[in-house]
Amino acid sequence: MFFPSGFLWGTSTGAFNIEGAWAEDGKGESIWDQFGHEGHVYMNQTTDVACDSYYKSSYDVYLLRGLQPQLYKFSISWSRIFPAGVRNGFNSKGVDYYRQLISNLLDSNIEPMVTLFHWDLPQALQVLGGWQNESIIEAFVDYADFCFATFGHQVKFWITFHEPWVISYAGYGTGEHPPGITDPGVASYKVAHTILKAHAKVWHLYNDRYRSQQLGKVGLVLNSDWAEPKTPANAEDVRASERYLQFMLGWFAHPIFVNGDYPDILKAQIQEVNQQCSTTVAQLPLFTEEEKSWVKGTADFFGLSHYTSRLVSAGTNSTCTPGYESIGNFSLHVDPSWPQAASSWIHVVPWGLRRLLKFVSQEYTGTKIPIYIAGNGMPTQDGGDVINDTLRVDYFRRYINEALKAVKLDTVDVQSYITRSLVDGFEGPAGYSLKFGLHYVNFEDSNRPRTPKASSLNILNTIQTYRFFLCSPSCGHLRFSYLMPAL
């Protein structure tokens, strides 16, 4: 049993995670630069140098060639292109950096998958209100227009937003990410609304102006856990798990892939909470009928990132204090038998990926829209044996096998698997303490040397094996068993 012909393997990074050179060659300040400088990150770490990939991109491509992927998903730093967030006086050195990176990838037979926004908003735009200010939509469209015109003849895969749930929830709900706003009842929903409209406008821009010449695809990457009822025989827990999926994934997927509007479950739950509390605990913006028709269908693929699963039960402590769980009326749990990764929020639950893929196919994509697994992985801790990352090797083996089951047994149209990430990097509030990379980076060394981990060899072997079995129609009768356990 093996993946279909044309299946795409890849790995990924984000600009603020790896580039460094935070104020060099004309780059403007981003919200992550300021967040680190204000001391909000583990051990006061910053993005100032990170992996130094701005100066080491050629070596990173060399590492990629060693993995032999078909795709490399990376992001453009908006403030490296437009230092103040707007087109006036674009930064030519930033443009040259990305042009060279894209050319090096293509010369290495690796397709670039380019993300326009991976969380690092120009600080100059945050001062104006960031994603709470709808005027940012035009600024984002102008930035996207510049990128399509400048790089689009070489790029076939575009991602508008990477994990907008994280932007809305962690940036404007809990405040764990910049801009550090704690307003889960109003700001989170306003930001999500703005992002959805910005995404739709960029998709239409590409569709109307660039698609016929550049022949690329435009989508976005949505992150989601799988939600399993804590007690499957309990109807309340079943409904709570459905609410959790709709509050996390449906919040963004339903408008784009179903009908241009938020899920009924989400709307009904927020209305119920507000009625019970006799006050506005949460405020979900409304789409006009014109906006609904304009947002619906604005993705050429469904990008999905997935790391873990949750057991979900109905909420027990009803409160009128705005919060993610209180608004959604659910409680989150984990099975104590699930292994925990170095990060407290990631537990290893491989079967959750298969169930999530089947859910996405049934709810959103069917046979018309391909699913790209655009982020999957787990971190290990800093210290100890950082090279022999056997836990990550096992994680990848088991999760890839569940993706294979979804494809072959559930007939889900999955067309890519992209690991997180090529190298260790800056992991948000955790700084450099969590290691997601296939290559270890020594952040104590000013040269930032990279060393392949055991997981990089595992991914190489996986890619090579599948490439062998996808050699031609004549090898279609062969059965795949190396690395993957029997199904």
Side-chain angles (χ1 to χ4, degrees):
M1 197 176 289
F2 47 89
F3 287 99
S5 178
F7 192 85
L8 301 172
W9 297 91
T11 189
S12 63
T13 57
F16 82 93
N17 305 103
I18 69 164
E19 283 182 3
W22 79 277
E24 297 177 39
D25 282 353
K27 179 184 173 294
E29 185 180 31
S30 80
I31 58 174
W32 277 102
D33 296 327
Q34 183 170 107
F35 200 67
H37 295 156
E38 290 177 344
H40 298 302
V41 176
Y42 174 74
M43 293 184 65
N44 293 318
Q45 292 170 343
T46 71
T47 60
D48 289 5
V49 180
C51 303
D52 205 24
S53 286
Y54 181 72
Y55 295 108
K56 297 183 182 298
S57 67
S58 295
Y59 190 72
D60 287 346
V61 174
Y62 167 78
L63 296 178
L64 282 164
R65 288 202 300 270
L67 295 174
Q68 300 178 15
Q70 290 95 336
L71 291 175
Y72 177 49
K73 177 180 173 291
F74 68 93
S75 72
I76 291 175
S77 168
W78 188 344
S79 59
R80 197 177 294 282
I81 300 291
F82 294 170
V86 293
R87 188 185 289 253
N88 292 348
F90 75 91
N91 179 22
S92 61
K93 289 187 177 180
V95 171
D96 290 344
Y97 167 72
Y98 293 112
R99 272 191 178 136
Q100 188 62 53
L101 173 57
I102 291 168
S103 294
N104 288 347
L105 290 169
L106 293 173
D107 289 344
S108 302
N109 296 314
I110 300 168
E111 285 285 346
M113 176 180 271
V114 181
T115 302
L116 292 170
F117 188 78
H118 189 142
W119 308 354
D120 50 346
L121 187 69
Q123 180 62 32
L125 294 180
Q126 185 57 50
V127 170
L128 301 178
W131 294 107
Q132 289 180 278
N133 182 346
E134 286 207 357
S135 68
I136 198 175
I137 294 174
E138 292 306 320
F140 183 67
V141 171
D142 197 37
Y143 159 63
D145 188 25
F146 180 87
C147 290
F148 292 153
T150 305
F151 311 115
H153 63 291
Q154 292 183 299
V155 175
K156 301 305 177 188
F157 299 97
W158 290 99
I159 292 164
T160 55
F161 289 91
H162 179 81
E163 300 180 347
W165 181 89
V166 176
I167 302 165
S168 306
Y169 170 76
Y172 293 82
T174 66
E176 297 169 82
H177 286 194
I181 293 171
T182 308
D183 186 5
V186 178
S188 280
Y189 293 105
K190 172 62 175 173
V191 165
H193 202 69
T194 304
I195 287 173
L196 283 165
K197 291 199 284 189
H199 160 81
K201 196 156 190 178
V202 167
W203 186 89
H204 283 290
L205 167 71
Y206 189 87
N207 195 55
D208 295 343
R209 190 177 300 175
Y210 295 100
R211 188 186 300 277
S212 62
Q213 291 81 30
Q214 298 181 358
L215 305 177
K217 296 181 179 182
V218 179
L220 76 172
V221 173
L222 303 179
N223 62 292
S224 186
D225 305 335
W226 171 247
E228 187 74 8
K230 186 179 181 185
T231 305
N234 184 319
E236 288 298 317
D237 286 3
V238 172
R239 285 191 286 270
S241 66
E242 291 172 351
R243 284 196 301 275
Y244 183 70
L245 281 174
Q246 295 300 337
F247 268 74
M248 190 174 209
L249 185 60
W251 188 9
F252 298 93
H254 201 273
I256 294 170
F257 294 95
V258 180
N259 67 352
D261 197 8
Y262 296 114
D264 288 341
I265 291 175
L266 179 70
K267 293 191 290 186
Q269 178 60 30
I270 289 176
Q271 183 180 25
E272 181 177 331
V273 168
N274 289 338
Q275 288 174 346
Q276 287 176 348
C277 293
S278 301
T279 186
T280 303
V281 177
Q283 189 172 325
L284 185 67
L286 301 176
F287 288 111
T288 66
E289 291 303 316
E290 182 181 7
E291 287 170 341
K292 290 176 187 177
S293 63
W294 183 61
V295 170
K296 177 185 175 182
T298 54
D300 304 318
F301 56 85
F302 192 115
L304 178 68
S305 65
H306 171 76
Y307 298 93
T308 194
S309 295
R310 293 284 181 266
L311 297 177
V312 184
S313 66
T316 54
N317 298 319
S318 59
T319 174
C320 292
T321 302
Y324 188 57
E325 293 185 35
S326 61
I327 294 171
N329 187 27
F330 45 70
S331 296
L332 306 180
H333 319 269
V334 296
D335 188 316
S337 70
W338 295 348
Q340 182 176 320
S343 179
S344 61
W345 64 275
I346 296 182
H347 289 76
V348 182
V349 194
W351 51 263
L353 174 58
R354 179 183 176 186
R355 295 188 185 188
L356 180 61
L357 288 168
K358 190 172 181 179
F359 175 83
V360 169
S361 178
Q362 291 172 339
E363 291 286 317
Y364 306 118
T365 62
T367 59
K368 296 180 180 180
I369 303 288
I371 299 170
Y372 295 163
I373 298 174
N376 182 240
M378 61 161 282
T380 52
Q381 290 179 329
D382 196 8
D385 191 344
V386 294
I387 304 301
N388 294 305
D389 54 343
T390 54
L391 292 176
R392 183 181 288 107
V393 169
D394 185 63
Y395 178 100
F396 283 142
R397 179 184 63 82
R398 296 172 68 192
Y399 273 79
I400 290 171
N401 193 48
E402 292 298 323
L404 178 61
K405 290 179 185 178
V407 171
K408 305 305 291 186
L409 303 182
D410 305 328
T411 64
V412 178
D413 186 16
V414 181
Q415 295 189 8
S416 83
Y417 178 84
I418 298 172
T419 69
R420 172 181 174 188
S421 59
L422 174 64
V423 290
D424 294 334
F426 179 88
E427 295 296 340
Y432 301 99
S433 65
L434 297 177
K435 309 295 185 183
F436 272 94
L438 298 173
H439 298 85
Y440 169 71
V441 178
N442 183 354
F443 294 102
E444 301 300 317
D445 188 322
S446 61
N447 289 321
R448 299 299 195 267
R450 286 95 155 111
T451 305
K453 301 178 187 178
S455 57
S456 68
L457 179 60
N458 172 261
I459 291 296
L460 170 62
N461 287 340
T462 302
I463 293 172
Q464 285 182 329
T465 302
Y466 278 119
R467 276 187 167 172
F468 171 75
F469 278 99
L470 299 177
C471 59
S472 70
S474 64
C475 63
H477 67 282
L478 295 174
R479 184 173 179 83
F480 177 73
S481 60
Y482 178 64
L483 284 179
M484 300 297 163
L487 297 175

